[in-house]
Amino acid sequence: MPADRKPLISGNWKMHHNHYEAIQTVQKLAFRLHPDDYEDVDVSVHPPFTNLRSLQTLIDADKLPILLGAQHCHWEPKGAFTGEVSAEMLAKLGVTLVIAGHSERRQLFGDTDELVNKRVKAILAAGMTPIVCVGETLEQREAGETEAVVEDQVRAGLQGLKPDQVAGLVVAYEPVWAIGTGRNATPEDAQAVCAHVRAVVGDLAGRDAAEAVRIQYGGSVKPTNAAELMAQPDVDGALVGGASLDADDFARIVQYRHVT
Ligand code: PGA
């Protein structure tokens, strides 16, 4: 990837780790990572909502260069939406990155492209960076629809954004069949789809935005495959689920450049 796109490696904890475990995991991660690592890579953790305040306090107190992220948010700033959390509430807790449209939200909780777009706009309005997830199912891949599906999701998810907003955000390409299965996309396949995402972004928001946007690959990223995925020219980072729960594994992914 070009030197001006700083890689972003994000740990999506999903519904794992209570706040005690979250504190231990981040303390251990901070112990494993060195100042050089943060210079080369942006590192974020995305715990469940209940852990955010504890991690904000830890990150502030110990001045850790780890970015605090969330996994989801509602698009309205407040209101009668039982069980939901707004982007503004997250921003107040020091959250700077929020995942929108993760395939589990799309498949299990009815997230649609239209709702993802509303969330993306709310995240930006609250001064945070969206990580917009896209990716095809196994059925769609086998039907040869990968590029078309991903293109539709990118166009719909980023609809109505200004080029400078697009330039600052993150798109995560996560093939659904690779999530939590231990089966990652090959580096060549990840590169091909990420390059396609960049081309679609270019068409939507112009060349400068396409050059600046960071594109993560996600789906069974592990310490053993991170380096070859990250070596691809259009892969600017990783969205890591299972392997981010363990501080040692996640640190080794962040340190992918040193893996021989
Ligand atoms: P995984 O999850 O690394 O466990 O495959 C990735 C994700 O869902 O973001």
Side-chain angles (χ1 to χ4, degrees):
M1 80 213 68
D4 46 354
R5 286 203 302 269
K6 190 173 179 188
L8 170 65
I9 297 192
S10 305
N12 171 16
W13 291 359
K14 312 190 181 190
M15 199 170 74
H16 293 286
H17 287 342
N18 61 39
H19 71 288
Y20 296 114
E21 294 160 335
I23 290 169
Q24 277 176 359
T25 305
V26 169
Q27 280 174 331
K28 206 165 157 191
L29 180 65
F31 182 73
R32 294 275 180 274
L33 295 179
H34 310 296
D36 295 1
D37 295 323
Y38 302 109
E39 262 173 47
D40 295 342
V41 179
D42 285 336
V43 182
S44 65
V45 292
H46 300 247
F49 291 138
T50 50
N51 304 349
L52 288 171
R53 179 66 178 148
S54 307
L55 290 187
Q56 179 196 27
T57 306
L58 170 66
I59 286 170
D60 280 358
D62 291 1
K63 300 194 171 40
L64 304 179
I66 294 173
L67 303 168
L68 189 57
Q71 302 173 15
H72 171 68
C73 68
H74 196 271
W75 55 87
E76 291 292 342
K78 60 181 162 202
F81 303 104
T82 301
E84 292 292 317
V85 169
S86 75
E88 293 184 2
M89 292 169 182
L90 297 174
K92 278 265 183 269
L93 283 166
V95 168
T96 56
L97 290 147
V98 185
I99 298 170
H102 189 280
S103 67
E104 286 152 19
R105 301 294 323 175
R106 292 179 191 259
Q107 295 202 315
L108 305 174
F109 303 103
D111 226 353
T112 61
D113 284 334
E114 195 193 348
L115 297 183
V116 173
N117 182 245
K118 286 177 150 196
R119 294 185 213 286
V120 166
K121 287 175 176 160
I123 295 163
L124 288 167
M128 300 181 292
T129 302
I131 298 180
V132 189
C133 297
V134 299
E136 82 288 1
T137 62
L138 187 57
E139 214 182 5
Q140 290 165 331
R141 167 157 286 247
E142 286 172 348
E145 294 167 4
T146 299
E147 296 209 340
V149 167
V150 166
E151 175 159 354
D152 285 352
Q153 289 173 331
V154 171
R155 286 188 187 279
L158 307 190
Q159 210 220 320
L161 302 188
K162 299 193 192 90
D164 63 317
Q165 291 178 312
V166 175
L169 57 71
V170 181
V171 177
Y173 167 55
E174 297 206 300
V176 178
W177 50 269
I179 295 177
T181 58
R183 209 184 129 203
N184 60 288
T186 63
E188 295 72 27
D189 280 351
Q191 164 57 23
V193 182
C194 290
H196 184 60
V197 168
R198 198 176 305 284
V200 174
V201 170
D203 190 46
L204 265 177
R207 208 189 144 140
D208 290 351
E211 278 300 311
V213 72
R214 290 191 287 183
I215 304 175
Q216 294 178 315
Y217 166 78
S220 298
V221 176
K222 301 179 273 266
T224 47
N225 62 19
E228 56 182 13
L229 289 160
M230 294 294 296
Q232 303 307 310
D234 286 294
V235 176
D236 309 315
L239 184 53
V240 186
S244 73
L245 296 174
D246 181 272
D248 286 327
D249 282 348
F250 191 50
R252 284 168 64 211
I253 293 172
V254 171
Q255 294 164 336
Y256 67 93
R257 297 168 319 290
H258 311 302
V259 177
T260 46

Coordinates of all heavy atoms in Angstrom, one line a residue, residues 12 14 102 174 178-180 219-221 239-242, ligand 1:
N12 N -12.4 -6.6 16.2 CA -13.9 -6.7 16.4 C -14.2 -7.8 17.4 O -14.2 -9.0 17.0 CB -14.6 -6.9 15.1 CG -16.1 -7.1 15.3 OD1 -16.7 -6.9 16.3 ND2 -16.7 -7.6 14.2
K14 N -17.0 -8.5 18.8 CA -18.3 -9.1 18.8 C -18.9 -9.2 20.2 O -18.5 -8.3 21.0 CB -18.4 -10.4 18.1 CG -17.6 -10.3 16.7 CD -17.7 -11.5 15.9 CE -16.9 -11.3 14.6 NZ -17.2 -12.3 13.6
H102 N -21.8 -4.5 9.5 CA -21.1 -5.8 9.6 C -22.1 -6.9 9.1 O -23.3 -6.8 9.3 CB -20.7 -6.1 11.1 CG -19.9 -7.3 11.2 ND1 -20.4 -8.6 11.2 CD2 -18.5 -7.5 11.3 CE1 -19.4 -9.5 11.3 NE2 -18.2 -8.8 11.3
E174 N -15.2 -8.0 3.7 CA -15.3 -9.2 4.5 C -16.2 -10.2 3.9 O -17.4 -10.2 4.0 CB -15.9 -8.9 5.9 CG -15.1 -8.0 6.8 CD -15.3 -8.2 8.2 OE1 -16.5 -8.1 8.7 OE2 -14.4 -8.6 8.9
A178 N -15.9 -16.3 4.9 CA -14.6 -16.3 5.5 C -14.7 -15.9 7.0 O -13.7 -16.1 7.7 CB -13.7 -15.4 4.8
I179 N -15.8 -15.4 7.4 CA -15.9 -14.9 8.8 C -16.1 -16.0 9.8 O -17.1 -16.8 9.7 CB -17.1 -13.8 8.9 CG1 -16.7 -12.6 8.0 CG2 -17.3 -13.4 10.3 CD1 -17.8 -11.6 8.0
G180 N -15.2 -16.1 10.7 CA -15.3 -17.1 11.8 C -15.2 -18.6 11.3 O -15.5 -19.5 12.0
G219 N -12.0 -11.5 7.7 CA -12.5 -12.9 7.5 C -11.3 -13.9 7.8 O -10.5 -14.1 6.9
S220 N -11.3 -14.4 9.0 CA -10.3 -15.4 9.4 C -8.8 -14.9 9.3 O -8.0 -15.7 8.9 CB -10.5 -16.7 8.7 OG -11.8 -17.3 9.0
V221 N -8.6 -13.6 9.6 CA -7.3 -13.1 9.6 C -6.6 -13.7 10.9 O -7.2 -13.6 12.0 CB -7.2 -11.6 9.6 CG1 -5.8 -11.1 9.8 CG2 -7.8 -11.0 8.4
L239 N -9.7 -6.3 9.5 CA -10.7 -6.3 10.6 C -10.7 -7.7 11.1 O -11.0 -8.7 10.4 CB -12.1 -5.9 10.0 CG -13.3 -5.8 10.9 CD1 -13.0 -4.9 12.1 CD2 -14.5 -5.3 10.2
V240 N -10.4 -7.9 12.4 CA -10.0 -9.2 12.9 C -11.1 -9.5 14.0 O -11.2 -8.7 14.9 CB -8.6 -9.1 13.6 CG1 -8.2 -10.5 14.0 CG2 -7.6 -8.6 12.6
G241 N -11.7 -10.6 13.9 CA -12.7 -11.1 14.9 C -12.0 -12.0 15.9 O -11.3 -11.5 16.8
G242 N -12.2 -13.3 15.7 CA -11.7 -14.3 16.7 C -10.3 -14.1 17.2 O -10.1 -14.1 18.4
Ligands
PGA1 P1 -13.1 -13.5 12.1 O1 -14.2 -12.3 12.1 O2 -11.8 -12.8 12.1 O3 -13.4 -14.2 13.3 O4 -13.4 -14.3 10.8 C1 -14.0 -11.1 11.3 C2 -15.2 -10.2 11.5 O5 -16.3 -10.6 11.6 O6 -15.0 -8.9 11.5

